[in-house]
């Protein structure tokens, strides 16, 4: 009998049990490395916009390309500035409720940054590890890898996140500046408002030209992604109040060579947590 002999024992690749598992209820493919990572990655999908998840899935696919991504995001007039939905409206409402509760709690809180007087640090709010870290590591990095490879888009390893508040009893506007970040994400959480547009000028390394300012309107649930060194500011609101989530994304491999604030090789001072995103470079010798 042709092909006769003892039948061999057959096996499956381990990836069949951990990678590219299709979940028909949600129409998505998922991977499983361990329970903690799975919960962090996929538990968060419930409050992320469908369009954003589709962007991430595209960037993680074999078809991923810069040109393909640019066709799926809103390319704004300022240099390498993009807009796309991040959260669901339901999550923005829940997040705002939590922010209001924290404001009313009387718990001590510091300023969100050196320029804004009103707002909340995400670390003080207590959801940095559960919200911002997975958002940066799992969902934003595939996108920044294609959009900002020269700014460490695939090597973002720390961040600073905070919420800013604009309104009659809060900050009125924001002076022209650049960020202590390689890449900045600015997400509009609400509430009802008019005006308050972002305006962009030149890059920090360029000569200023006041005729080049470009205004960009905020849109609920949408994030604006831009280079941290791109100078910008916020115009005053004409009505209502506005809350925005700001995430300064940092790559130590970039800033270890050049401090974005003093434009020199950094002199390191030990700090707690992520500090300002620099790391100690170990010599091989």
């Amino acid at each position: 009998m042709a092909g006769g002999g003892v039948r061999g024992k057959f096996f499956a690749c381990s990836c069949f049990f951990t990678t590219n598992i299709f979940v028909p209820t949600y129409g998505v493919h998922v991977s499983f490395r361990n329970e903690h990572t799975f919960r962090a990655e996929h538990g968060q999908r419930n409050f992320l916009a469908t369009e954003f998840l589709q962007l991430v899935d595209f960037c993680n696919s074999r078809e991923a390309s810069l040109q393909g991504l640019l066709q799926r995001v809103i390319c704004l007039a300022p240099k390498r500035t993009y807009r796309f939905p991040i959260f669901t409206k339901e999550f923005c409402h829940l997040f705002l409720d939590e922010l209001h509760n924290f404001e009313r709690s009387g718990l001590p809180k510091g300023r969100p940054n050196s320029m804004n007087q009103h707002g909340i640090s995400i670390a003080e709010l207590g959801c940095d590890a559960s919200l911002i870290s997975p958002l940066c590591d799992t969902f934003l990095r595939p996108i920044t890898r294609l959009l900002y490879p020269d700014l460490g888009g695939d090597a973002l390893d720390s961040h600073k996140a905070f919420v800013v508040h604009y309104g009659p009893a809060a900050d009125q506007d924001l002076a022209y500046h650049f960020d202590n970040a390689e890449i900045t994400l600015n997400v509009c959480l609400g509430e009802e408002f008019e005006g308050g547009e972002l305006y962009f000028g030149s890059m920090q390394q360029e000569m200023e030209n006041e005729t080049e300012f470009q205004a960009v309107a905020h849109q609920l649930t949408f994030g604006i992604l831009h280079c941290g060194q791109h100078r910008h500011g916020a115009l005053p609101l004409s009505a209502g109040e506005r809350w925005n989530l700001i995430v300064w994304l940092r790559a130590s491999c970039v800033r270890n060579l050049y401090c974005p604030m003093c434009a020199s090789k950094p002199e390191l001072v030990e700090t707690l947590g992520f500090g300002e995103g620099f790391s100690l470079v170990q010599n091989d010798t």
Side-chain angles (χ1 to χ4, degrees):
M1 176 171 144
V6 179
R7 177 170 228 159
K9 188 174 182 180
F10 293 90
F11 300 84
C13 178
S14 62
C15 75
F16 280 77
F17 304 101
T18 61
T19 307
N20 206 32
I21 303 169
F22 183 65
V23 182
T25 302
Y26 298 101
V28 297
H29 288 80
V30 302
S31 297
F32 183 90
R33 293 188 291 277
N34 55 65
E35 183 176 356
H36 174 76
T37 303
F38 185 83
R39 288 182 180 275
E41 292 179 358
H42 300 289
Q44 199 171 34
R45 297 181 76 98
N46 294 329
F47 52 83
L48 295 174
T50 300
E51 298 89 340
F52 179 51
L53 294 174
Q54 290 172 345
L55 277 182
V56 177
D57 289 342
F58 169 77
C59 293
N60 283 325
S61 71
R62 294 181 179 178
E63 292 75 32
S65 68
L66 175 59
Q67 290 306 314
L69 177 57
L70 293 179
Q71 295 173 5
R72 291 167 167 81
V73 300
I74 301 171
C75 299
L76 301 172
K79 307 167 187 176
R80 300 174 72 185
T81 303
Y82 311 97
R83 178 163 57 198
F84 44 86
I86 300 288
F87 298 125
T88 64
K89 288 184 179 180
E90 293 76 14
F91 173 75
C92 288
H93 295 323
L94 291 172
F95 198 12
L96 279 177
D97 286 343
E98 188 65 23
L99 294 172
H100 290 315
N101 290 335
F102 187 77
E103 289 270 271
R104 290 190 293 263
S105 69
L107 292 171
K109 63 179 184 297
R111 292 170 57 182
N113 58 69
S114 62
M115 297 185 69
N116 288 92
Q117 300 289 333
H118 297 268
I120 299 171
S121 164
I122 294 297
E124 291 180 347
L125 191 62
C127 57
D128 193 280
S130 60
L131 173 65
I132 303 302
S133 289
L135 176 66
C136 297
D137 298 341
T138 303
F139 298 100
L140 286 174
R141 187 178 293 177
I143 295 174
T144 58
R145 178 174 62 234
L146 293 175
L147 293 178
Y148 304 102
D150 55 321
L151 300 179
D154 195 28
L156 300 172
D157 50 8
S158 70
H159 59 263
K160 179 176 181 177
F162 49 91
V163 175
V164 292
H165 182 201
Y166 295 88
D171 288 319
Q172 302 298 308
D173 54 22
L174 187 62
Y176 193 54
H177 67 286
F178 61 92
D179 295 335
N180 184 3
E182 275 64 73
I183 306 164
T184 296
L185 175 69
N186 185 329
V187 188
C188 181
L189 304 173
E191 301 179 38
E192 298 292 331
F193 63 91
E194 295 177 9
E197 297 88 350
L198 283 178
Y199 62 93
F200 289 88
S202 64
M203 299 297 288
Q204 191 269 335
Q205 303 88 351
E206 299 173 345
M207 294 294 292
E208 192 58 80
N209 184 342
E210 294 184 1
T211 64
E212 294 182 351
F213 288 133
Q214 302 266 356
V216 177
H218 289 284
Q219 188 174 347
L220 177 62
T221 78
F222 278 68
I224 296 173
L225 199 66
H226 64 86
C227 301
Q229 296 287 289
H230 198 166
R231 293 188 182 105
H232 59 284
L235 297 172
L237 293 176
S238 55
E241 58 181 315
R242 174 168 60 84
W243 293 78
N244 284 59
L245 170 67
I246 312 296
V247 185
W248 288 347
L249 300 157
R250 295 160 167 171
S252 60
C253 63
V254 174
R255 58 182 42 224
N256 283 350
L257 303 175
Y258 178 90
C259 173
M261 304 306 290
C262 69
S264 303
K265 184 174 178 58
E267 295 184 13
L268 301 184
V269 178
E270 189 171 356
T271 58
L272 299 175
F274 285 137
E276 297 302 324
F278 303 97
S279 66
L280 185 63
V281 179
Q282 301 290 340
N283 293 324
D284 295 332
T285 57

